[in-house]
RNA sequence: GACUUGGUAGCUCAGCUGGUAGAGCACGUCCCUUUUAAGGAUGGGGUCCUGGGUUCGAGUCCCAGCCAGGUCACCA
């Protein structure tokens, strides 16, 4: 019998079990601490070597599988460290005549997905598997929803839970049944820890700066817009934190960094999530040459910390992070991959070159943007091994210092790896007059229609006018780096909760009581929700003939005993609905 | 945004030229004291993504939409 039309039979059975547990005096959600003295992994690692260990072990976790055979049973318990087998014997779980704890509680009221604590001793079965012989168990949490069942034998996985939509929307399930996913995020965490340790070791200060910014800046991107009621002003979610960190350098700190969530209101793809994490680092009295050395050293160390080697497999290729990395100037890279030196061409010349090479252009693009398009199209995808691209055109780098010797260029580099940008750095522009002029050029680009041109930040200029020491700045795309270091092809696989379109709200939100005051019989009120009418308004606007047909259809489908309503009766219900 | 593939039971998936919705696992019941992706027997479980259309009849064909994946575009 279906008690509630919106839950499945299996869920109904679990709710029934919940009530039965309570009626046996067992709290399915106990409050007190459950003391544990081992993990699955510790036992599996140490027990065969030393049989005296773990003779009074307490462990807790989720039941992932059960094999019940009469008076003896096996179950699989999963804790954070892994899985271990449990052995239950009826007469040891239940010492006296009352066999309820085994026959009823364990065999009938427990399910895959429930969380229990067990106490017992470790032994090895005839089949040779290290197992906990359970003397007592305690229910710590009853699970009301069935879990995807994934089975595995000799490395072969059966019924794998692989649908990306379900994995991302219900990440908890993904983490429970796909242990390698838990490892990916451990490695991501280790990457950040390793990077932080490296930077702290150099005595740089880890700081926090505003996410809500009155003027967005520090990058070329479209922002998310929000609104502060009390201030009656528009605020933007940051697209970068660069301009704030530089103010801290002005203030006298000589090395500051932040692991920053940034937000960009742009398209989504396997390389782009609307919110993403960047490390930004600023060090006074240094230049971009120096930062290149730091990036090589830092990334090489991180890769080694995670993998114990500097060469790792990525997308079917091997990438080596061993220093030194290859370096090209931007013009050099374009010449290398297209055979043409475009460094001397003017805007029109470059535009023509781009067209001839099949690179899309439009009239809002200035010289710098054109060069960047050519690079992105012709060079970037070919750069698999970590490579520094240096000396960018001035037009596309309004926050970078003019090159010390090459006119028209700035002291900037990006690190490209596996065909994607992972770092961006420059000798920071600290000439306030030049900085103001660059912002004004950006305003001009904006007037030409570039939606990503930067806006002029008067507060930032005021700080720079106070005087910022020569400074090197660096941004590292943490998600992109995590993809490479975990060998994942999409950013969604290195973010716990990637952005998804909202799921359509289902009829599940409605229950019979929505229609409780309307005189509609309770039996039918529940079915109205199932027919897709979630509120009185929806029902009021519906065609009574259609509602009538739907109810009769459901009655037949669900084999309900109640008599079918008449058409006039259904019309009556709808007529008397009064929407205020 | 364009193209393309998909959406069927809790999960993984079949379902032919349109004709009573299927399998394995999971779940229920019964039997079974050491099993290991799978013990035996048996039973229940469906808004075939949504809404229209064609048809005597639509999971299947047509149209529109929603959600997801892939490729491309966008993303300095």
């Amino acid at each position: 019998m279906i008690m509630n039309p919106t839950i499945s039979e299996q869920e109904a059975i679990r709710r029934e079990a919940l009530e039965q547990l309570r009626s046996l005096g067992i709290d399915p959600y106990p409050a007190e601490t459950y003391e544990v003295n081992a993990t699955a992994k510790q036992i599996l690692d140490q027990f065969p070597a030393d049989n005296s260990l773990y003779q009074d072990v307490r462990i807790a976790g989720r039941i992932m599988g059960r094999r019940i055979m009469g008076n003896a049973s096996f179950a699989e318990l999963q804790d954070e460290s892994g899985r271990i087998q449990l052995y239950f014997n009826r007469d040891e779980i239940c010492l006296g005549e009352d066999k309820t704890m085994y026959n009823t509680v364990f065999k009938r009221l427990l399910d895959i997905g429930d969380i229990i604590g067990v106490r017992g001793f470790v032994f090895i079965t005839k089949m040779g598997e290290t197992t906990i012989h359970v003397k007592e168990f305690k229910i710590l949490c009853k699970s009301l929803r069935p879990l995807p069942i994934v089975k595995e034998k000799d490395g072969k996985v059966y019924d794998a839970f692989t649908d990306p939509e379900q994995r991302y929307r219900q990440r908890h399930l993904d983490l429970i049944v796909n242990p390698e996913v838990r490892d990916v995020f451990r490695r991501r965490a280790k990457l950040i820890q390793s990077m932080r340790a490296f930077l702290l070791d150099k005595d740089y200060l880890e700081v926090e700066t505003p996410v809500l910014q009155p003027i967005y800046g520090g990058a070329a991107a479209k922002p998310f817009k929000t609104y502060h009621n009390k201030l009656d002003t528009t605020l933007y979610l940051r697209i970068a934190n660069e301009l704030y960190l530089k103010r801290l350098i002005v203030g006298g700190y000589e090395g500051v960094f932040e692991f920053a969530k940034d937000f960009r209101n742009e398209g989504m793809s396997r390389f782009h999530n609307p919110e993403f994490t960047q490390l930004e680092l600023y060090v006074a009295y240094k230049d971009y040459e120096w930062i290149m050395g730091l990036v090589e050293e830092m990334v090489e160390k991180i890769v080694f910390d995670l993998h114990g080697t500097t060469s790792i497999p990525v997308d079917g290729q091997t990438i080596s992070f061993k220093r030194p990395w290859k370096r090209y100037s931007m013009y050099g890279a374009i010449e290398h991959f297209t055979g043409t030196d475009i460094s001397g061409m003017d805007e029109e010349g470059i535009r023509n070159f781009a067209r001839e090479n099949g690179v899309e252009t439009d009239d809002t693009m200035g010289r710098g943007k054109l060069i960047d398009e050519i690079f992105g199209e012709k060079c970037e995808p070919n750069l698999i091994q970590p490579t520094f691209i240096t000396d960018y055109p001035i037009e596309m780098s309004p926050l970078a210092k003019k090159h010390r010797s090459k006119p028209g260029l700035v002291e900037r580099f990006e690190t490209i790896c596996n065909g994607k940008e992972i770092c961006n750095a420059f000798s920071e522009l600290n000439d306030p007059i030049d900085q103001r002029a660059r912002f004004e050029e950006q305003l001009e680009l904006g007037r030409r229609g570039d939606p990503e041109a930067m806006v002029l930040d008067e507060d930032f200029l005021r700080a720079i006018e106070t005087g910022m020491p020569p400074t090197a700045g660096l941004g590292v795309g943490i998600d992109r780096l995590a993809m490479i270091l975990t060998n994942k092809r999409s950013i969604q696989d290195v973010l716990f909760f990637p952005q998804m379109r909202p799921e359509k709200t289902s009829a599940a939100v409605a229950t019979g009581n929505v229609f409780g005051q309307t005189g509609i019989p309770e039996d039918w009120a529940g079915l109205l929700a199932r027919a897709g009418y979630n509120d009185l308004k929806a029902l009021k606007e519906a065609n009574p003939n259609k509602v009538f047909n739907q109810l009769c259809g459901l009655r037949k489908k669900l084999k309900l005993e109640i008599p079918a309503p008449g058409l006039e009766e259904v019309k009556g219900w709808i007529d008397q609905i009064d929407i205020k």
Side-chain angles (χ1 to χ4, degrees):
Chain A
M1 181 178 64
I2 294 174
M3 317 262 311
N4 175 339
T6 59
I7 66 174
S8 71
E9 181 192 34
Q10 290 196 46
E11 289 172 86
I13 288 166
R14 286 177 181 232
R15 278 162 204 256
E16 184 73 17
L18 188 71
E19 289 317 308
Q20 284 187 42
L21 286 171
R22 289 207 165 104
S23 68
L24 287 168
I26 296 171
D27 181 357
Y29 303 104
E32 61 275 14
T33 299
Y34 190 85
E35 294 290 351
V36 163
N37 64 12
T39 68
K41 185 170 190 310
Q42 283 169 0
I43 295 170
L44 294 175
D45 284 350
Q46 295 172 30
F47 182 74
D50 185 347
N51 283 21
S52 68
L53 293 173
Y54 302 118
Q55 292 311 292
D56 183 16
V57 73
R58 293 168 66 94
I59 185 171
R62 194 181 292 277
I63 298 173
M64 296 304 289
R66 296 197 303 163
R67 294 178 286 279
I68 295 176
M69 307 154 309
N71 295 341
S73 299
F74 291 89
E76 302 227 5
L77 192 76
Q78 174 169 290
D79 67 10
E80 190 187 334
S81 72
R83 286 190 189 187
I84 191 163
Q85 179 167 266
L86 306 178
Y87 172 73
F88 290 80
N89 180 294
R90 182 187 65 196
D91 297 323
E92 296 192 51
I93 298 295
C94 311
L95 293 173
E97 288 304 304
D98 178 6
K99 304 302 184 189
T100 306
M101 272 307 273
Y102 182 80
N103 286 339
T104 305
V105 176
F106 174 76
K107 278 171 65 174
R108 300 190 45 198
L109 303 181
L110 280 192
D111 287 291
I112 290 175
D114 291 349
I115 296 169
I116 62 171
V118 302
R119 179 173 187 178
F121 63 88
V122 178
F123 75 111
I124 294 186
T125 65
K126 282 184 198 163
M127 299 298 290
E129 179 155 349
T130 303
T131 301
I132 299 174
H133 189 123
V134 177
K135 306 291 258 185
E136 303 167 19
F137 71 95
K138 180 177 183 185
I139 296 174
L140 303 177
C141 175
K142 178 74 195 158
S143 166
L144 295 183
R145 286 177 182 266
L147 232 41
I149 306 292
V150 179
K151 298 197 173 180
E152 183 249 316
K153 163 86 168 171
D154 298 332
K156 189 173 177 191
V157 178
Y158 299 80
D159 297 336
F161 182 65
T162 53
D163 176 22
E165 176 167 8
Q166 294 205 71
R167 287 184 48 227
Y168 302 150
R169 286 196 199 277
Q170 300 193 64
R171 183 67 91 178
H172 55 284
L173 296 180
D174 192 29
L175 292 165
I176 289 168
V177 304
N178 293 328
E180 67 281 5
V181 175
R182 287 206 299 272
D183 280 337
V184 167
F185 288 99
R186 283 200 193 94
R187 249 182 289 163
R188 181 188 167 114
K190 196 168 177 188
L191 146 65
I192 291 171
Q193 284 161 14
S194 174
M195 189 177 280
R196 176 176 281 126
F198 178 90
L199 296 169
L200 291 174
D201 188 54
K202 298 201 179 303
D203 278 336
Y204 303 144
L205 184 69
E206 182 166 12
V207 300
E208 293 175 277
T209 61
V211 171
L212 290 174
Q213 303 180 349
I215 293 178
Y216 60 96
K222 290 173 218 147
F224 286 92
K225 204 172 172 179
T226 185
Y227 178 76
H228 190 285
N229 294 339
K230 197 75 179 187
L231 295 178
D232 185 21
T233 189
T234 298
L235 292 173
Y236 300 91
L237 272 61
R238 69 179 169 199
I239 57 173
N241 54 356
E242 168 155 357
L243 303 186
Y244 285 89
L245 292 179
K246 283 186 191 169
R247 279 176 241 203
L248 299 180
I249 298 290
V250 172
Y253 295 112
E254 294 181 7
V256 292
F257 68 93
E258 179 174 12
F259 286 94
K261 266 284 181 74
D262 291 337
F263 304 84
R264 296 187 183 176
N265 206 342
E266 293 166 348
M268 290 162 57
S269 74
R270 71 187 179 94
F271 293 106
H272 300 268
N273 194 63
E275 55 182 293
F276 63 101
T277 304
Q278 253 198 314
L279 166 82
E280 290 208 31
L281 166 71
Y282 293 83
V283 183
Y285 310 116
K286 303 296 186 190
D287 67 4
Y288 79 134
E289 291 280 352
W290 178 88
I291 277 262
M292 256 186 271
L294 178 131
V295 167
E296 278 179 330
E297 182 190 352
M298 179 170 74
V299 175
E300 186 191 68
K301 172 207 177 251
I302 291 166
V303 174
F304 194 83
D305 282 355
L306 265 65
H307 291 93
T309 170
T310 53
S311 285
I312 58 172
V314 179
D315 269 356
Q317 312 183 66
T318 298
I319 296 186
S320 171
F321 291 90
K322 183 120 191 85
R323 287 180 283 172
W325 300 348
K326 196 173 247 183
R327 299 183 184 191
Y328 285 114
S329 74
M330 171 144 278
Y331 288 133
I334 291 173
E335 187 173 354
H336 181 265
F337 286 104
T338 68
T340 304
D341 178 7
I342 61 168
S343 60
M345 296 183 187
D346 62 7
E347 183 171 320
E348 261 330 288
I350 290 174
R351 192 183 302 279
N352 289 334
F353 173 79
R355 287 197 183 118
E356 284 159 19
N357 282 273
V359 177
E360 276 188 50
T361 64
D362 66 62
D363 292 341
T364 69
M365 291 178 178
R367 186 171 185 275
K369 183 109 180 170
L370 286 167
I371 291 170
D372 189 58
E373 287 293 320
I374 294 166
F375 176 77
E377 185 78 21
K378 294 291 165 192
C379 307
E380 202 172 45
N382 299 316
L383 296 169
I384 303 301
Q385 301 299 323
T387 304
F388 291 117
I389 302 297
T390 64
D391 300 342
Y392 282 61
I394 190 166
E395 297 88 340
M396 54 195 285
S397 310
L399 299 166
K401 192 177 259 188
K402 281 178 182 151
H403 197 282
R404 63 194 75 181
S405 63
K406 299 176 187 164
L409 301 182
V410 291
E411 298 203 349
R412 171 178 177 183
F413 72 83
E414 286 191 0
T415 310
I416 313 293
C417 181
N418 202 29
K420 284 282 163 189
E421 167 196 351
I422 57 168
C423 301
N424 182 20
F426 18 96
S427 301
E428 300 294 339
L429 178 53
N430 66 342
D431 173 346
I433 308 288
D434 190 5
Q435 182 67 80
R436 183 177 291 277
R438 303 277 198 94
F439 274 140
E440 276 161 3
E441 284 163 22
Q442 287 292 308
L443 293 180
E444 177 54 33
L445 282 181
R447 279 191 286 270
R448 281 172 65 175
D450 183 347
E452 291 172 352
M454 289 187 195
V455 290
L456 190 144
D457 187 334
E458 209 52 73
D459 278 354
F460 171 67
L461 283 171
R462 184 168 59 186
I464 294 293
E465 284 164 7
T466 305
M468 181 174 79
T471 297
L474 167 71
V476 180
I478 297 295
D479 311 284
R480 297 266 179 91
L481 189 56
M483 285 167 65
I484 291 169
L485 298 190
T486 58
N487 195 12
K488 290 293 167 195
R489 294 194 70 244
S490 59
I491 199 168
Q492 287 81 6
D493 283 321
V494 297
L495 298 169
F496 274 127
F497 304 106
Q499 195 58 242
M500 304 283 279
R501 273 204 173 70
E503 275 182 288
K504 270 205 295 189
T505 53
S506 70
V509 287
T511 55
N513 62 14
V514 172
F515 306 104
Q517 303 304 313
T518 56
I520 300 174
E522 207 179 309
D523 290 334
W524 295 113
L527 290 176
L528 283 169
R530 186 158 179 174
Y533 302 102
N534 293 335
D535 52 47
L536 292 173
K537 188 163 176 283
L539 185 60
K540 183 74 180 175
E541 288 167 359
N543 178 344
N545 297 306
K546 184 176 175 185
V547 175
F548 169 71
N549 278 332
Q550 283 176 308
L551 290 180
C552 291
L554 282 169
R555 172 178 173 272
K556 192 172 171 188
K557 185 166 206 137
L558 299 172
K559 301 185 179 73
L560 298 177
E561 300 292 330
I562 47 181
L567 174 58
E568 291 307 314
E569 197 180 341
V570 174
K571 279 183 176 165
W573 299 342
I574 294 175
D575 284 344
Q576 72 183 21
I577 293 172
D578 178 24
I579 298 174
K580 285 128 214 137

